[in-house]
Amino acid sequence: MHKTIVIIPARYASTRFPGKPLATLRGCTIIQRVYMAVEESCADVYVATDDQRIFNEVKAFGGRAVMTSPDHRSGTDRCLEALEKIEAAEGKQWDIVINVQGDEPFINSNQLTLVRCCFQDPRAQIGTLVKYIPADATIEELENPNMPKVVFDDEDFALYFSRSVIPYLRGVPREEWPRHHRFYKHIGIYGFRTDVLREIAQLPQSPLEQCESLEQLRWLQAGYRIKVSKTPYETIGIDTPEDLQRAESFFEGSEELKKIF
């Protein structure tokens, strides 16, 4: 079994929702909700932050946190700095690093298991999740650019991610596309082999990444193999105050979440 660490990057500064990790969702901060959910399936969990207020909050609820630079380009870069600091402090090494976004309070422990399962394939360098987009989805839902789509090969290795609808269905009226093909959306939880995380942190932005503003295209374009696992579970990222209100509603409607929380 691979030794796994989960790192949760969390920034205070956010253009659309400043202080988001410290916003409250049903009596707990968002960052605590994420931490609690992840802790169910992994013993080694750390929050990587650039803000003392978030660091203090994690310590206050009994979690583990590490301070990182405010200058990172991405959560992936923040994960690497955190990993190196944790390794130095703990004197331990891990095989797999899972990056869970600090604004995903509804992450399911089974999703983390699925990410870890990607690495049962020795060819997998990076692991992530996809979810089937139901056939009754509207074309407007399918075309939402904030919901990246993914196509993968017969062995579940990603071929491409896009904010556009992929594949294009030639000869099928656009409004009927969801009923004529199994489309998948990307769930943005990543696992990395530790050596791969160190390598990809050195990569410059790629042309495809710049076009679509999707970091995983940098890795694909550089030739890294991304294994996908299919999850039946939905996630709700909190990007805006309006998302937080929707999350409250989602909470009320989910019997499973009521049992957990």
Side-chain angles (χ1 to χ4, degrees), residues 47-241:
V47 172
T49 185
D50 60 357
D51 190 274
Q52 192 67 45
R53 289 163 289 190
I54 297 174
F55 182 91
N56 292 344
E57 163 65 10
V58 175
K59 291 294 186 180
F61 65 68
R64 290 176 286 188
V66 59
M67 291 294 294
T68 55
S69 168
D71 300 325
H72 289 302
R73 299 174 300 172
S74 68
T76 308
D77 294 338
R78 192 175 307 283
C79 277
L80 178 58
E81 183 192 353
L83 174 68
E84 291 177 339
K85 286 186 172 181
I86 296 163
E87 286 177 333
E90 300 287 341
K92 296 171 64 177
Q93 301 285 320
W94 287 271
D95 304 309
I96 304 297
V97 182
I98 298 181
N99 176 351
V100 173
Q101 297 302 314
D103 58 4
E104 294 277 359
F106 300 119
I107 184 170
N108 187 288
S109 60
N110 288 338
Q111 292 176 312
L112 297 179
T113 299
L114 286 171
V115 172
R116 286 199 295 267
C117 286
C118 289
F119 298 98
Q120 293 176 357
D121 187 328
R123 300 169 298 173
Q125 296 170 293
I126 301 167
T128 194
L129 299 179
V130 298
K131 183 178 184 298
Y132 169 57
I133 299 171
D136 61 358
T138 66
I139 188 60
E140 290 75 20
E141 291 170 328
L142 185 63
E143 290 179 333
N144 180 358
N146 295 318
M147 183 179 73
K149 274 66 69 175
V150 57
V151 289
F152 42 90
D153 67 18
D154 291 343
E155 296 184 282
D156 292 337
F157 282 97
L159 295 170
Y160 195 70
F161 299 82
S162 183
R163 296 186 184 277
S164 298
V165 182
I166 50 175
Y168 179 92
L169 300 192
R170 185 177 180 184
V172 178
R174 204 168 184 85
E175 63 275 8
E176 296 180 14
W177 281 11
R179 296 185 293 281
H180 284 263
H181 183 76
R182 290 185 68 86
F183 291 95
Y184 287 87
K185 69 177 179 178
H186 180 223
I187 303 292
I189 302 165
Y190 296 106
F192 308 92
R193 295 192 188 275
T194 305
D195 57 340
V196 171
L197 177 61
R198 300 186 202 283
E199 291 172 6
I200 64 174
Q202 307 304 316
L203 295 174
Q205 280 196 321
S206 74
L208 290 176
E209 177 190 8
Q210 291 173 337
C211 287
E212 299 236 27
S213 190
L214 294 174
E215 184 182 17
Q216 61 269 36
L217 292 178
R218 181 191 318 180
W219 314 331
L220 272 185
Q221 192 164 0
Y224 287 90
R225 304 200 71 183
I226 304 176
K227 186 89 169 181
V228 305
S229 283
K230 303 179 186 72
T231 176
Y233 297 103
E234 189 59 85
T235 60
I236 294 183
I238 311 294
D239 292 321
T240 66

